Amino acid sequence: MKYWLVKTEPDECSIDDIAKAGDKGMVWDGVRNYQARNFLRDMNVGDHVFIYHSSCAKVGIVGLAEVTEEAFVDPLQFDPDSPYFDAKSNPDSPRWSAVRLRFKQKFQHLLALQQLKQMPALAANPLVQKGSRLSVVPFQVKEYQAVLQQLT
DNA sequence: GCCAACGTTGGC
DNA sequence: GCCAACGTTGGC
């Protein structure tokens, strides 16, 4: 099993929205960065995924989800009405992928970016590095465990 | 709203 | 292949 973190703007899709989606989970689409896409494609069913709220008042890790469907073609890239439409994506070899995520839990407290930056276990993680804009971030087992420990 | 840092595009 | 210009991300 692998561990990840995905960023989301709570105005668009918050941890509560993921919770509301229930057991069917929700399609995690709209990723338009190659490095992030490649990480999406590395996800396997059962992997754990931290949910991180970005571009908002309370930035940080808010909950946990799991992968319920491995990478498939992101439909929005072929939808001209979508902000995620990509005219240059070839249907014979689609550029962008999506996964399906299902809610596991919402943490009682936010683990703020400020706190994450102070954790030695996360020092090497792209999430806390200056200028990093990666929206899908891999977590090492020890990084994952350190986050969970910080939450208890 | 500001702006630093980054990724992508496209001319050459 | 270089690199300037541009658009986007995301913390503050």
Side-chain angles (χ1 to χ4, degrees):
Chain A
M1 171 150 78
K2 296 191 291 285
Y3 305 94
W4 311 91
L5 175 146
V6 293
K7 296 181 183 175
T8 178
E9 298 187 16
D11 290 348
E12 303 292 324
C13 174
S14 71
I15 185 69
D16 294 324
D17 294 327
I18 299 170
K20 277 181 215 153
D23 279 349
K24 70 181 189 302
M26 59 194 307
V27 174
W28 205 260
D29 48 20
V31 169
R32 294 292 179 269
N33 166 283
Y34 288 104
Q35 200 181 352
R37 179 207 67 183
N38 291 343
F39 285 133
L40 278 187
R41 290 180 176 178
D42 280 344
M43 289 183 179
N44 297 118
V45 168
D47 285 359
H48 285 191
V49 183
F50 286 123
I51 305 298
Y52 174 98
H53 283 175
S54 66
S55 297
C56 60
K58 293 180 176 178
V59 170
I61 294 175
V62 292
L64 189 65
E66 70 181 313
V67 177
T68 56
E69 188 178 350
E70 294 176 13
F72 52 93
V73 175
D74 180 341
L76 299 183
Q77 67 195 304
F78 300 121
D79 176 1
D81 296 326
S82 168
Y84 297 109
F85 176 66
D86 182 353
K88 292 179 180 170
S89 184
N90 177 357
D92 294 332
S93 171
R95 202 178 263 195
W96 306 113
S97 299
V99 295
R100 184 174 289 274
L101 299 182
R102 180 171 64 200
F103 176 80
K104 277 184 79 72
Q105 62 171 317
K106 179 178 178 177
F107 299 132
Q108 286 189 313
H109 303 288
L110 171 88
L111 186 49
L113 176 58
Q114 204 177 354
Q115 295 171 274
L116 295 168
K117 282 179 175 170
Q118 288 167 5
M119 292 171 57
L122 294 188
N125 191 285
L127 182 68
V128 298
Q129 276 157 22
K130 189 181 176 190
S132 172
R133 300 171 6 176
L134 199 55
S135 60
V136 181
V137 184
F139 266 59
Q140 305 301 315
V141 188
K142 288 191 173 176
E143 294 173 329
Y144 171 79
Q145 290 169 344
V147 168
L148 287 187
Q149 195 168 359
Q150 199 67 218
L151 285 161
T152 58

